[in-house]
Amino acid sequence: MAYLDPGDPVQLAAQVRAAFEERYDAPAAAVGRAPGRVNLMGEHTDYNAGLVLPVALPHTTHAAWRPTTDGRLRVASRQRESTWEGRVDDLGPDAVDGWAAYAAGVVWALREAGVEIPGCDLLVDSTVPVGAGLSSSAALECAVAVALAPDADRRLLAAACIRAETEIAGAPTGGMDQYVALLAEPGQALLIDFESDETTQVPLDLTGHTLLVTDTRVSHELTDGGYGSRRADCEEAARQLRVPTLRRASLATVEDLEDERVRRRARHVVTEISRVTAAVNALATSDWGAVGELFRRSHASMRDDFEISTPELDAAVVVAVEAGAVAARMTGGGFGGSTVAIVPDDRVEAVMRAVDATFVLEGFKPPAHLRAEPSAGASAG
Ligand code: GLA
């Protein structure tokens, strides 16, 4: 069965350079690359000062660029017909629409942070599936950021990419995607604590198992209302509980919240944060029974308390476990997107076939599968 191909990094870099030269009639000065991500545990916890445990994917975005002196920014993509063009001095909130906002937003944010960019031609190319909940937008931002400022501190770049996403692209997201795209190391998951801003590399020993991601191909949008309204509910819960963030709330006090919806939202966040620590421990000892139970609870919490799952995500999770996965849950922002499963190597084919067959039976779009080999964070060359 076919997996979505991440492509060969050397070939991808050469291709983006060649396409750049063809598009702009001049060689690129540098190429940045940054990965998509899949999160193992901790959903909608980042903007609540909580914990997350993402892994970088082998699927990446490449960004080729050269500085110019004409004060203009041009953004082109090998995946899109249209090119965005405007004056760098005019960049700012509400200045750019659509996918180009993620790239143009980084140019704006880096300039805001004091990086000198008088003008810039950009061309991007990506193997990260778009709208699949696998952070294609952060991969784009971070590829542009490392291309333009390869020597800058990675946290400064993460901050610029987060500003691009929240202030220019208008997606009120939390920061997990940019951190892992910039800081991940091969073979490791990245434990991020959004209260202390600490990051810890967590070695992932998946011997005999495959990290299988299934894109349900129900496209998710973080700029429509669902994500923002969850975030607003969490802030309301923290306000009512008189804590700075839900990281500081206990399950007991959450259960006292009067509004039923706000209570369920807060319950998801508080229980999900505790599942991240538990998952780190269970993964460290390859306790697949415990990992499976944590994934099961996390999915149920997102389905019932946070209400961000879909019939396709629910079906993919149930069927994966029935067909032999030791653990499965939806991953990412929700309202579509992907599931992540840990599958014994000799059951992977069976799991993919079973999910595909169920999707046919249910009349869903055919899903796409990819292997999430824990990969490296961004680099430039
Ligand atoms: C999206 C956002 C992240 C995070 C996840 C949910 O991927 O970009 O910041 O909130 O959703 O965990």
Side-chain angles (χ1 to χ4, degrees):
M1 283 190 77
Y3 295 108
L4 278 185
D5 185 9
D8 172 66
V10 177
Q11 238 172 13
L12 287 170
Q15 273 168 13
V16 79
R17 277 186 187 274
F20 184 95
E21 197 152 345
E22 194 176 314
R23 172 72 185 69
Y24 294 111
D25 260 338
V31 173
R33 61 160 285 289
R37 65 98 189 90
V38 61
N39 190 18
L40 298 182
M41 191 60 74
E43 234 60 83
H44 290 258
T45 50
D46 54 358
Y47 57 78
N48 288 297
L51 304 171
V52 294
L53 190 64
V55 163
L57 295 176
H59 301 69
T60 54
T61 297
H62 282 75
W65 87 294
R66 68 169 185 142
T68 59
T69 49
D70 60 1
R72 302 195 71 78
L73 167 65
R74 280 171 282 267
V75 191
S77 161
R78 288 195 73 207
Q79 276 74 45
R80 320 251 177 178
E81 290 289 310
S82 64
T83 300
W84 188 87
E85 182 169 349
R87 276 163 38 92
V88 283
D89 284 342
D90 293 342
L91 294 175
D94 301 324
V96 194
D97 280 337
W99 70 273
Y102 295 96
V106 172
V107 174
W108 169 81
L110 287 176
R111 280 165 54 96
E112 289 274 303
V115 179
E116 227 176 283
I117 308 168
C120 165
D121 288 341
L122 267 169
L123 183 118
V124 300
D125 187 12
S126 184
T127 62
V128 184
V130 172
L134 302 173
S135 291
S136 61
S137 53
L140 169 54
E141 292 151 11
C142 298
V144 171
V146 285
L148 266 62
D151 301 325
D153 176 73
R154 288 295 167 103
R155 279 161 196 269
L156 186 144
L157 291 186
C161 292
I162 293 167
R163 285 198 76 186
E165 177 138 345
T166 54
E167 296 178 47
I168 305 300
T173 54
M176 159 171 70
D177 310 341
Q178 293 78 7
Y179 267 67
V180 65
L182 288 162
L183 298 172
E185 286 178 16
Q188 327 261 331
L190 186 70
L191 174 65
I192 312 168
D193 182 330
F194 280 95
E195 190 173 58
S196 65
D197 205 30
E198 249 180 84
T199 55
T200 313
Q201 302 289 342
V202 176
L204 261 193
D205 181 6
L206 294 170
T207 310
H209 296 76
T210 296
L211 210 50
L212 180 71
V213 172
T214 297
D215 171 10
T216 63
R217 303 192 47 246
V218 178
S219 190
H220 85 144
E221 268 297 342
L222 298 179
T223 45
D224 68 13
Y227 186 97
S229 71
R230 298 305 183 281
R231 190 167 178 156
D233 281 346
C234 292
E235 283 161 9
E236 177 58 22
R239 200 187 59 75
Q240 289 182 17
L241 293 168
R242 296 176 204 283
V243 287
T245 62
L246 285 181
R247 177 66 179 278
R248 293 280 128 208
S250 70
L251 190 54
T253 56
V254 162
E255 295 299 351
D256 288 338
L257 283 165
E258 234 164 71
D259 183 277
E260 196 254 347
R261 189 191 70 221
V262 171
R263 182 165 69 239
R264 282 191 285 114
R265 304 295 190 247
R267 189 198 295 145
H268 163 72
V269 172
V270 171
T271 57
E272 183 81 350
I273 291 171
S274 68
R275 280 188 289 270
V276 177
T277 314
V280 169
N281 294 332
L283 284 165
T285 51
S286 303
D287 183 346
W288 302 121
V291 174
E293 181 58 16
L294 289 163
F295 272 45
R296 192 190 65 71
R297 286 196 197 157
S298 172
H299 186 80
S301 177
M302 288 189 275
R303 184 189 60 214
D304 303 335
D305 279 348
F306 222 60
E307 294 181 287
I308 54 172
S309 191
T310 64
E312 291 83 354
L313 290 166
D314 293 343
V317 164
V318 167
V319 173
V321 171
E322 277 171 7
V326 295
R329 63 190 279 278
M330 59 156 284
T331 182
F335 309 103
S338 298
T339 61
V340 58
I342 301 175
V343 189
D345 289 339
D346 60 358
R347 300 301 302 168
V348 175
E349 283 279 329
V351 166
M352 293 197 293
R353 276 185 208 290
V355 172
D356 288 1
T358 301
F359 274 46
V360 170
L361 219 67
E362 296 287 338
F364 300 155
K365 273 192 203 170
H369 305 282
L370 56 94
R371 292 169 79 97
E373 194 72 48
S375 298
S379 60

